[in-house]
Amino acid sequence: MFPAFLRRVPVLAVLVAVEVWARPEPETVRVMKAREVVLREGPEESAELRVHPGFLTTLAFESGLVPGSVKVEAPERVRLLGAEGRVVVLEPLVELAEGERVRLWVTVTWGGASMHAVLVLVPHPSEVDGQVRVLLPEKHAQAMAPTEPRAQSELLKLLLSGAVELGERLVGNQLWATLLPEGVDAKAPWLYRMGRQRVLAIPIHNPEESVPWEPRVVRLTSASLGPKPVALPIHMRAPRLMPGESGWVFMEWPFKDETVAFRLEVREREAGRGVRLEREGR
């Protein structure tokens, strides 16, 4: 006969084994990372992004996104929370299996050019890419880099100073063009002249119920300037228009011929609120 305590050993061993088996594994502490990646044009993958449920991954692009172009291969596994302007926000819904790769398709645009690229979402045992800055390839980044700032003309300085009452025919007149406001209110533009200098001024009103408006994208397209849109520097007396405020935006105007055909876009961001001016040549 075994002693009583020895007869209980197998039972205790089983209970201990059950308890150990049932005890959950300690959850891995995941470290949030900030990274930079460079896009690669075409179907070839640009970079891997490490994602995990419970963490959002935010992508900030160097250039604007084409509206509706951002797509996730498996939306039931990774949700696209938002894609607007230059920002994409992703929310993983389930943990990706080891070796699983979920593609993210994007199309970015600058000026009149665009580029398609693929990013890949993958799991990682301990790290999550929380903030990712997405850069253009060097050749494209150089193409969109701003030119050296030019000194402001005397006419532009005069208009920005407030010394001239805008909307009067003292040194200017209304510019004939089709005006198309989008999300803001606008009135007919004025073209001011002083010698050979030309400045276009557009009165803008930001509606009461809106968010602050700050023009950042200014594109001028005209056959007389070449096949691609030209970026123009823009100026205001204040950096932005708060809800309910009105103000003027100014830009040095390259045309002396007041009948030349053109298309001008002034927006807060790519495809954002702003104004379009269009004129067909005579």
Side-chain angles (χ1 to χ4, degrees), residues 33-39 47 49 57-63 86 119 129-136 141:
K33 294 285 187 176
R35 297 176 57 207
E36 285 188 353
V37 301
V38 178
L39 289 180
L49 306 180
T57 293
T58 301
L59 313 180
F61 287 78
E62 186 178 19
S63 58
R86 299 186 180 194
L119 295 159
D129 294 327
Q131 300 285 336
V132 182
R133 187 175 176 217
V134 186
L135 306 178
L136 290 171

Side-chain angles (χ1 to χ4, degrees), residues 153-204:
S153 68
E154 293 302 315
L155 175 57
L156 179 58
K157 291 178 182 177
L158 179 66
L159 296 173
L160 287 170
S161 71
V164 174
E165 185 176 355
L166 297 171
E168 297 290 337
R169 297 179 183 271
L170 298 177
V171 292
N173 62 279
Q174 288 186 340
L175 179 73
W176 175 80
T178 301
L179 179 68
L180 301 167
E182 299 174 356
V184 296
D185 300 322
K187 294 182 180 179
W190 283 69
L191 182 62
Y192 292 90
R193 309 174 199 81
M194 190 167 71
R196 295 184 177 181
Q197 300 172 24
R198 302 285 188 277
V199 172
L200 184 69
I202 309 173
I204 304 287

Side-chain angles (χ1 to χ4, degrees), residues 147 150 200 215-221 225 229-235 250-255 263-266:
T147 56
R150 295 170 49 196
L200 184 69
R216 298 181 63 87
V217 177
V218 183
R219 276 195 300 253
L220 178 63
T221 306
L225 298 176
V230 175
L232 296 182
I234 195 163
H235 308 271
F250 304 95
M251 64 211 74
E252 305 217 34
W253 198 237
F255 304 126
R263 174 190 173 102
L264 174 70
E265 294 181 80
V266 180

Side-chain angles (χ1 to χ4, degrees), residues 202-249:
I202 309 173
I204 304 287
H205 175 76
N206 191 20
E208 288 279 358
E209 66 278 5
S210 300
V211 297
W213 184 79
E214 180 178 356
R216 298 181 63 87
V217 177
V218 183
R219 276 195 300 253
L220 178 63
T221 306
S222 175
S224 64
L225 298 176
K228 293 185 177 181
V230 175
L232 296 182
I234 195 163
H235 308 271
M236 294 177 65
R237 291 176 178 171
R240 63 186 60 85
L241 293 180
M242 302 304 289
E245 287 185 344
S246 298
W248 293 70
V249 294

